[in-house]
Amino acid sequence: MIRLWGKVIRPLVSAATAKTILEIGAEFGTSTNVLLNYVRQVGGHLHSIDPLPGFDAEQLQADNRGVLTLYRDLSLDVLPTMPQVDVALVDGDHNWFTVYNELKLIEQIHARDPLRQPLLFVHDIGWPYGRRDLYYDPSTIPEEFRQPYQRKGIFPRRSELAADGGLNLELCNAVTEGGERNGVLTGVEDYIAGSALEFCFLKLPFYYGLGILVTRQRLAVCAPLQAEIDKLQHALQGEELIGLAEHMRCTEGVILQTLNRQLLASQKRVEELEAELARVRAAPGRDTSTGEA
């Protein structure tokens, strides 16, 4: 999501005069550091949730006392204890149950007030996880809300998982695409349908899809934010072409991952052959100078 910071996210965050930000899903800390730079500039605070951050969380927390609070736990366990924020970036576990309940909890901690409700950015509403669940840890999802899944890859425009190859084949992907309670976008849509709040919902069909939610009441009292939303809506008039470009990029991602796996397999095979050759050369009674025994 953070690749869209400069062109899409920051203009909206600035227009909303946001100071406190919630980040769900820190991963390797790239987005966390970008957001930290922003909150330092505006005298704000960043709350970041990730149960298994891929960086030294303690050190980052120590280096940013007063502007950063890190929560090393599941988002659904942390959110009920959270303070109110101005902006929330949702990019954690990409499945219906998690996203739907994250959005409900965010609404609850803001007292269901349309003017307090934060500006929301939800990543991965496009392919592959807009209509297909991903489980980083299936045991954290109640069985009744968990789709059948397998560790197999995904291809664009194919509902079933791939027998071989595909994208993210090492992850727990829902066996089929679509249907009820399946995927990030479905979670967002179901949340909006069940909420008493009235949202403006923009769907940007690139970089795996970015959803932007802001209450209509907040837009009505914040002209700069409304102006930035209008700019984005105008830009989305070419959505069909953008969608095609995104499809091509996703297909390229599958190809690149497949080639990378093939390269790793080839490198492993070369290492095995070199080890076998070394063993043969070191065998007793072999004349290594002539290659004959």
Side-chain angles (χ1 to χ4, degrees), residues 3 155 166-168 208 248-264:
R3 292 184 182 180
F155 282 103
L167 188 73
N168 295 340
Y208 300 107
M248 295 171 65
R249 187 193 64 77
C250 291
T251 302
E252 181 183 34
V254 173
I255 295 171
L256 288 174
Q257 284 197 9
T258 301
L259 291 174
N260 187 55
R261 287 192 292 270
Q262 291 174 346
L263 176 60
L264 291 174

Side-chain angles (χ1 to χ4, degrees), residues 121-167:
F121 298 91
V122 184
H123 199 218
D124 290 281
I125 65 165
W127 187 86
Y129 295 118
R131 303 296 185 187
R132 186 194 300 272
D133 273 4
L134 158 68
Y135 310 116
Y136 289 121
D137 181 358
S139 68
T140 64
I141 309 299
E143 186 175 356
E144 62 268 30
F145 298 106
R146 192 170 62 225
Q147 298 284 337
Y149 66 88
Q150 293 180 346
R151 291 185 183 274
K152 290 185 177 181
I154 311 168
F155 282 103
R157 298 177 182 172
R158 185 187 298 180
S159 176
E160 69 278 7
L161 295 177
D164 184 43
L167 188 73

Side-chain angles (χ1 to χ4, degrees), residues 244-282:
L244 176 60
E246 173 68 358
H247 168 70
M248 295 171 65
R249 187 193 64 77
C250 291
T251 302
E252 181 183 34
V254 173
I255 295 171
L256 288 174
Q257 284 197 9
T258 301
L259 291 174
N260 187 55
R261 287 192 292 270
Q262 291 174 346
L263 176 60
L264 291 174
S266 298
Q267 290 173 339
K268 182 178 180 181
R269 182 56 181 157
V270 168
E271 291 171 359
E272 291 172 348
L273 291 173
E274 288 176 343
E276 180 64 23
L277 179 59
R279 284 194 295 271
V280 170
R281 286 177 173 174

Side-chain angles (χ1 to χ4, degrees), residues 68-290:
L68 171 66
T69 304
L70 278 167
Y71 307 82
R72 298 186 64 174
D73 203 346
L74 297 175
S75 60
L76 298 184
D77 293 333
V78 172
L79 283 170
T81 70
M82 287 280 302
Q84 295 184 356
V85 297
D86 300 318
V87 173
L89 286 77
V90 180
D91 194 12
D93 207 2
H94 305 329
N95 57 73
W96 181 92
F97 177 81
T98 302
V99 171
Y100 175 77
N101 285 288
E102 284 172 340
L103 296 176
K104 285 186 66 177
L105 287 170
I106 289 170
E107 181 178 320
Q108 289 173 18
I109 65 176
H110 293 86
R112 298 184 172 88
D113 185 332
L115 296 180
R116 294 183 185 179
Q117 176 75 5
L119 174 62
L120 293 165
F121 298 91
V122 184
H123 199 218
D124 290 281
I125 65 165
W127 187 86
Y129 295 118
R131 303 296 185 187
R132 186 194 300 272
D133 273 4
L134 158 68
Y135 310 116
Y136 289 121
D137 181 358
S139 68
T140 64
I141 309 299
E143 186 175 356
E144 62 268 30
F145 298 106
R146 192 170 62 225
Q147 298 284 337
Y149 66 88
Q150 293 180 346
R151 291 185 183 274
K152 290 185 177 181
I154 311 168
F155 282 103
R157 298 177 182 172
R158 185 187 298 180
S159 176
E160 69 278 7
L161 295 177
D164 184 43
L167 188 73
N168 295 340
L169 57 82
E170 73 282 2
L171 301 179
C172 297
N173 299 308
V175 169
T176 57
E177 185 178 34
E180 295 183 355
R181 296 178 175 177
N182 196 9
V184 174
L185 179 57
T186 308
V188 175
E189 291 171 343
D190 289 351
Y191 161 69
I192 293 173
S195 174
L197 303 178
E198 296 182 23
F199 286 98
C200 171
F201 179 31
L202 272 66
K203 294 180 282 186
L204 278 63
F206 41 75
Y207 283 115
Y208 300 107
L210 180 67
I212 303 171
L213 288 79
V214 58
T215 62
R216 297 194 180 280
Q217 292 90 334
R218 191 169 180 184
L219 287 177
V221 299
C222 186
L225 183 56
Q226 179 68 72
E228 290 297 331
I229 290 291
D230 290 344
K231 287 180 186 178
L232 277 178
Q233 288 177 323
H234 178 73
L236 286 173
Q237 290 178 3
E239 184 174 351
E240 183 176 349
L241 292 178
I242 297 171
L244 176 60
E246 173 68 358
H247 168 70
M248 295 171 65
R249 187 193 64 77
C250 291
T251 302
E252 181 183 34
V254 173
I255 295 171
L256 288 174
Q257 284 197 9
T258 301
L259 291 174
N260 187 55
R261 287 192 292 270
Q262 291 174 346
L263 176 60
L264 291 174
S266 298
Q267 290 173 339
K268 182 178 180 181
R269 182 56 181 157
V270 168
E271 291 171 359
E272 291 172 348
L273 291 173
E274 288 176 343
E276 180 64 23
L277 179 59
R279 284 194 295 271
V280 170
R281 286 177 173 174
R286 182 174 179 83
D287 186 347
T288 57
S289 63
T290 63

